[in-house]
Amino acid sequence: MSEQLEPVGVIGVGWVGLVTAACFAELGHQVIARDIVPEKVEALSRGEITIHEPGLEELLQRNAERIAFTTEMDELLAGARLLFVCVDTPPTYSGDADLSRVRAVVEELREDGDHVLIMKSTVPAGTGESIRRDKPNLSYVSCPEFLKEGTAVKDFMHPDRVVIGADPGDEGAAEAVEALYKPLGGEILRADVASAEMIKLASNAFLATKISFINEIANVCEEVGADVGQVAEGMGLDERIGPKFLKAGIGWGGSCFGKDTIALKKLAGNSGYHFQLLSAVIDVNELQKRRVVQKLKKHLDSLAGRRVALLGLAFKPDTDDMRDAASLVLAARLEGEGAEVVAYDPVAAERAATLLDSVEMATSAMEALEGADAAVLVTEWPEFAELDWVAAAERMARPVLVDGRNFLDPQKLVKAGFEYEGIGRTALDAPRTASAS
Ligand SMILES: NC(=O)c1ccc[n+]([C@@H]2O[C@H](COP(=O)([O-])OP(=O)(O)OC[C@H]3O[C@@H](n4cnc5c(N)ncnc54)[C@H](O)[C@@H]3O)[C@@H](O)[C@H]2O)c1
């Protein structure tokens, strides 16, 4: 069966590229994946996984025979016609997306009328058009990626939708991409390239808006004595609103929301339009992380000389990705207030240690809490719900806890002896189950 399937090329094997490579191999395709970091290619070729992503290691092992990793573009071009570009597009100093890695890839491609460049990297609307201008004989398809770290394999294999953007002249290429995704069964939406590019940016901006919105509602709830969990549940039952992404907390993070919302704001600005709503969405997120410091001060007065434990460092559970994690801002702010910061994360500690060199890394939650004057739950790792909070309260110098994800049962924590602070709820509020993200 695999002989009849079209081979797939992947350029850039980070979170998106590695998942793309593993999943197409799982579907029976021969995959050739290229990265410019030799150590990464060598590790992957030896069967060592480079990121923490549930289910990915098994998938790579099971399909090892079908995936080849290389640093050589020529090998990739010889091995596959359909080339997924999955390189990173971080922000530049101006906040615009840095397309230098995308450009480097395009430079290396031959306009042989055969290869199809399929853009999975998140790029500003207009990128496809400018690549087409530079390489008029290259077939170009926009195929933005919507996977979520932590559930990336499942998201890839069971997509809500697959967006395929192509302009007139590239219908054949778009058909070929559609054929790759057909077996997955998600809705396939065909669009023009600029619209496909905008769908990705608008989707991330909308999700970020939903989170900032519920965070502002949470802050108002704190003023008026309402419980944001109950409010979100009541809102989410309205089918026009829906329950997802209405989970109040200390703000979004990760590799995409921050850079993509800013990139969209800049894209709008560069075109002469001031995207006011998005500016507020970004500001709210920044302030939300900083509110933790005020919450701690409410209990401890000054933070100078206090030992504060961060529970969780990754930007969300089930990943070791530290890009734009709330913990980075929090650690810096706490240290700025004179606190001593100790932290624990079950999988991200190693990656985090390279970014947070003044933070003491503990090997367990209990070790982090030992002698601490306060704790902040930053990432909702399931093991924190299972922790013996009575023992934790006894081991802390002062059992103050800011539950940055409204993850724990406030009543249980109070009973264990904690001074509990949630986001938009009081210690007396019962936990709610409705919100999801
Ligand atoms: N991570 C996510 O959850 C996610 C989800 C949807 C979309 N995206 C988008 O997908 C893109 C990739 O994101 P990521 O998180 O996988 O990034 P990443 O940083 O994890 O991986 C990018 C990889 O590309 C490699 N690379 C850079 N230049 C290269 C080149 N010229 N040739 C070959 N390889 C090269 C890098 O070495 C790295 O391994 C970004 O545009 C991102 O916005 C990411």
Side-chain angles (χ1 to χ4, degrees), residues 82 84 116 118 141 143 164 172-182:
L82 303 176
F84 283 91
V116 178
I118 308 159
V141 175
C143 182
I164 299 175
E175 293 293 331
V177 178
E178 188 165 341
L180 292 179
Y181 281 98
K182 263 250 155 74

Side-chain angles (χ1 to χ4, degrees), residues 291-365:
R291 281 173 69 87
V292 171
V293 173
Q294 288 150 355
K295 284 176 186 285
L296 288 171
K297 279 186 172 173
K298 207 165 111 186
H299 295 267
L300 300 176
D301 196 16
S302 164
L303 297 184
R306 306 285 194 186
R307 186 172 168 84
V308 180
L310 299 183
L311 297 182
L313 292 166
F315 87 92
K316 68 176 189 176
D318 282 329
T319 183
D320 59 346
D321 198 346
M322 284 294 299
R323 287 177 286 186
D324 217 4
S327 60
L328 298 173
V329 173
L330 261 177
R333 280 296 302 119
L334 291 169
E335 287 178 345
E337 294 283 331
E340 177 194 325
V341 182
V342 54
Y344 165 71
D345 189 287
V347 305
E350 201 182 316
R351 232 177 250 278
T354 61
L355 303 165
L356 296 167
D357 49 9
S358 51
V359 170
E360 183 185 327
M361 293 291 165
T363 54
S364 70

Side-chain angles (χ1 to χ4, degrees), residues 13-35:
V13 281
W15 258 271
V16 169
L18 199 52
V19 170
T20 302
C23 290
F24 277 126
E26 175 76 359
L27 291 172
H29 296 267
Q30 289 293 334
V31 175
I32 178 152
R34 187 257 186 152
D35 204 286

